[in-house]
Amino acid sequence: MNSTPAKVRKDIIQRPKGTQDICGEDVERWEYVESLCRLQLQSAGYQEIRTPIFEATELFERGVGEGTDIVNKEMYTFEKSDRRLSLRPEGTAGVVRAFVEQGMGRWPKPVKLYYLGPMFRYERPQAGRQRQFHQFGVELFGLDTPAADAEVILMAMRMFEKLALPNLSLQINNIGTVECRERFKTGFKALLAPQLTQLCADCQTRYQTNPLRMLDCKQDSCKAIYAQPTVKAFLETDFTSEDCQAHFAELVRILDALKVPYQRNPYLVRGLDYYTKTVFEITSTNLGAQNAVCGGGRYNRLVEDLGGPETPAVGWALGMERLLTLVGDLPKRTLDFYIVHDQPAEAFQVAEALRASGYHVEVDLSGKGFGKQFERAAKLNARQAITIGEAEVQNGTIRVKHLHSGEQQATTLTDLLSQLAPAKQP
RNA sequence: GCGGGUGUCGCCAAGCGGUCAAGGCCCCGGAUUGUGGUUCCGGUAUACGUGGGUUCGAUUCCCAUCAUCCGCCCCA
């Protein structure tokens, strides 16, 4: 009708850096993947939990860890009447807070939850990393069994199989309890002390502050040092307790029995402070530098650390954006009927009757000529068009046309419905 | 926070100092005011991210800035 170029470029407001508008075909992919994830978890008795998008900053400081990059430099923090608040940089802390606040410690165990939503991290955007991104996560509270670990891992792996993700690798590791970690620190530091000067500057710092993190150093020179047989043996068997090793052995046994392929990676430590015993990560070589689709592990102390009852837990989170880049093309959504008409009331009645039978129906709203309306029907790739004009209204019929074959016939709504009903039910 | 690439219509994309703003897709209108998907015709950028500079002259060169992409760090 009217052409409004509106070239007021200077006044255009852009979305903030590192954020995304999700629309068009993209949003259909999102919805598809989201619902598949939900169904997978629901079918195993997990229940959704929706927590606030912002929380007290202290929650993340205590929950995620003061030493992590996430709380040190990546949080969106703001103040409102003396309260320090932050946009959630990850999901677990908020869920644990809710667990404690809602008294879920008294719910029948285990408490199995999943969540889905945006997370925020102030980082330089790049492939597979944005400032607002979305995670789908799972948390299982109240059990310290290898079976619990196995179940959450299985959930992720089966979901990814259904989505046919390419080139996946599941890496798992056992990093032990807090006590094991103490043994690790002293043992590892003693082991590395003679070679300390050969390590990179970062590792020399980590040697003092957080030796565990030395293991995921990317420097080849450091990697070589950590790959020495004595070091490797120490990582795999020496520092974790018998209990932790038994736990891990049982987890591995279950995964083997289920034919879930995995790789033990003794250097996998993960960047968050709260993990204990089992940690794992699912990566794909199709992703680029940020190659982790899903990461998680056991966190047996976090609930307590956040003021709750002693409650073991295990969970993971996956990055929706990264997941989506791995998901192939989806089958095209089909439109069953497009209603071409100049009789809106009757058109809507027919549409509603068909929708009630589970069909996907669109009614023309343009009021343009039938030619234009058919054009639209073809553009939307509708299977059939139903024409309702004055003549049809008068003799109580509708005209149904198959748009692929071009065949058309007059019939009545009742006949059409009885013909279709067996084929498709809501 | 650091390093590199890119920036011409909604999308893809030519032009790389002198009537220069091709072309394709999409969209809109018409041929076709009750029947589409094919075809044909027509329409849509006061202008080349923004601001400076060099030049007689810049979309084409330089600088800055913004955005975006890729990498480092770290993570999903």
Side-chain angles (χ1 to χ4, degrees):
Chain A
M1 289 284 165
N2 48 30
S3 55
T4 316
K7 264 100 204 162
V8 206
R9 282 290 174 192
K10 279 183 181 172
D11 291 344
I12 263 183
I13 296 170
Q14 298 180 297
R15 64 180 192 275
K17 184 197 285 253
T19 63
Q20 218 53 54
D21 297 316
I22 302 161
C23 57
E25 287 177 16
D26 286 346
V27 81
E28 288 177 25
R29 288 161 55 77
W30 276 77
E31 288 173 345
Y32 171 79
V33 172
E34 285 169 359
S35 68
L36 190 142
C37 292
R38 293 190 125 98
L39 286 172
Q40 173 72 37
L41 273 298
Q42 287 167 357
S43 75
Y46 289 72
Q47 192 178 45
E48 182 173 1
I49 179 167
R50 304 189 187 192
T51 64
I53 270 171
F54 61 93
E55 298 269 6
T57 301
E58 194 192 347
L59 172 65
F60 302 117
E61 289 170 346
R62 279 170 52 191
V64 180
E66 306 258 19
T68 62
D69 280 7
I70 293 180
V71 316
N72 284 334
K73 50 181 200 186
E74 296 172 3
M75 283 208 293
Y76 281 93
T77 298
F78 55 99
E79 276 185 40
K80 223 54 181 163
S81 51
D82 293 340
R83 301 209 183 279
R84 286 168 64 233
L85 301 166
S86 292
L87 262 29
R88 43 139 99 137
E90 57 98 53
T92 301
V95 173
V96 171
R97 194 226 79 235
F99 179 91
V100 174
E101 193 168 338
Q102 299 302 321
M104 293 184 204
R106 324 199 104 196
W107 289 14
K109 288 183 180 58
V111 175
K112 306 203 280 187
L113 305 172
Y114 74 87
Y115 63 86
L116 171 57
M119 306 294 162
F120 305 85
R121 260 122 92 161
Y122 186 81
E123 293 182 277
R124 191 69 173 269
Q126 70 178 78
R129 171 196 294 164
Q130 32 282 125
R131 290 182 173 178
Q132 175 174 166
F133 61 104
H134 298 75
Q135 286 189 339
F136 185 97
V138 167
E139 315 290 356
L140 186 156
F141 294 95
L143 255 24
D144 187 23
T145 62
D149 297 10
E151 176 165 286
V152 298
I153 291 173
L154 191 64
M155 288 294 121
M157 292 305 280
R158 294 302 187 235
M159 263 166 41
F160 294 164
E161 279 168 25
K162 284 179 188 162
L163 290 166
L165 302 197
N167 302 319
L168 285 190
S169 157
L170 164 64
Q171 316 221 20
I172 58 176
N173 193 26
N174 168 26
I175 60 170
T177 61
V178 178
E179 294 73 41
C180 299
R181 226 79 61 71
E182 285 309 313
R183 273 199 298 282
F184 170 86
K185 276 183 197 165
T186 49
F188 190 67
K189 287 172 83 164
L191 203 55
L192 269 291
Q195 300 170 84
L196 187 54
T197 53
Q198 296 166 44
L199 297 174
C200 72
D202 278 346
C203 278
Q204 296 199 27
T205 310
R206 292 178 190 133
Y207 184 87
Q208 301 302 335
T209 58
N210 191 353
L212 199 62
R213 295 300 310 287
M214 294 164 75
L215 297 176
D216 60 11
C217 181
K218 304 291 189 299
Q219 301 279 325
D220 287 339
S221 52
C222 296
K223 280 164 125 175
I225 290 171
Y226 307 144
Q228 296 170 106
T230 47
V231 179
K232 209 171 169 202
F234 173 78
L235 294 176
E236 282 177 0
T237 55
D238 296 356
F239 77 92
T240 49
S241 67
E242 272 179 36
D243 176 58
C244 289
Q245 288 185 39
H247 182 104
F248 191 72
E250 174 62 4
L251 167 62
V252 157
R253 199 190 66 77
I254 298 171
L255 294 177
D256 283 337
L258 290 163
K259 307 255 188 296
V260 174
Y262 63 87
Q263 251 181 295
R264 164 119 201 227
N265 179 353
Y267 304 99
L268 177 68
V269 294
R270 318 247 336 120
L272 278 51
D273 286 354
Y274 51 60
Y275 289 115
T276 55
K277 290 189 176 175
T278 310
V279 294
F280 58 90
E281 200 165 273
I282 300 170
T283 58
S284 170
T285 49
N286 293 34
L287 275 176
Q290 313 304 324
N291 66 353
V293 221
C294 178
R298 177 161 282 287
Y299 48 97
N300 286 350
R301 295 287 299 277
L302 186 57
V303 177
E304 229 180 314
D305 288 349
L306 291 176
E310 200 179 322
T311 308
V314 59
W316 50 252
L318 67 82
M320 286 294 293
E321 284 81 358
R322 291 182 191 177
L323 179 57
L324 264 298
T325 69
L326 296 174
V327 174
D329 284 338
L330 267 33
K332 266 229 157 204
R333 206 178 58 135
T334 60
L335 177 60
D336 298 309
F337 294 100
Y338 190 82
I339 304 199
V340 172
H341 69 278
D342 52 14
Q343 309 289 323
E346 286 76 9
F348 282 122
Q349 282 168 7
V350 171
E352 294 192 319
L354 287 165
R355 286 178 190 142
S357 299
Y359 287 93
H360 180 11
V361 185
E362 283 200 46
V363 176
D364 186 89
L365 303 172
S366 73
K368 291 176 182 168
F370 284 15
K372 284 291 167 203
Q373 295 192 35
F374 269 91
E375 243 174 60
R376 176 87 184 145
K379 194 155 292 161
L380 293 174
N381 219 302
R383 288 211 155 90
Q384 306 183 56
I386 291 176
T387 310
I388 304 171
E390 234 176 301
E392 285 75 19
V393 170
Q394 265 174 23
N395 58 31
T397 61
I398 57 177
R399 296 182 71 76
V400 180
K401 181 169 182 177
H402 286 77
L403 291 175
H404 298 305
S405 66
E407 282 169 41
Q408 181 171 242
Q409 57 179 342
T411 178
T412 62
L413 177 58
T414 354
D415 283 351
L416 177 65
L417 286 172
S418 61
Q419 212 183 320
L420 294 170
K424 193 168 181 178
Q425 284 296 328

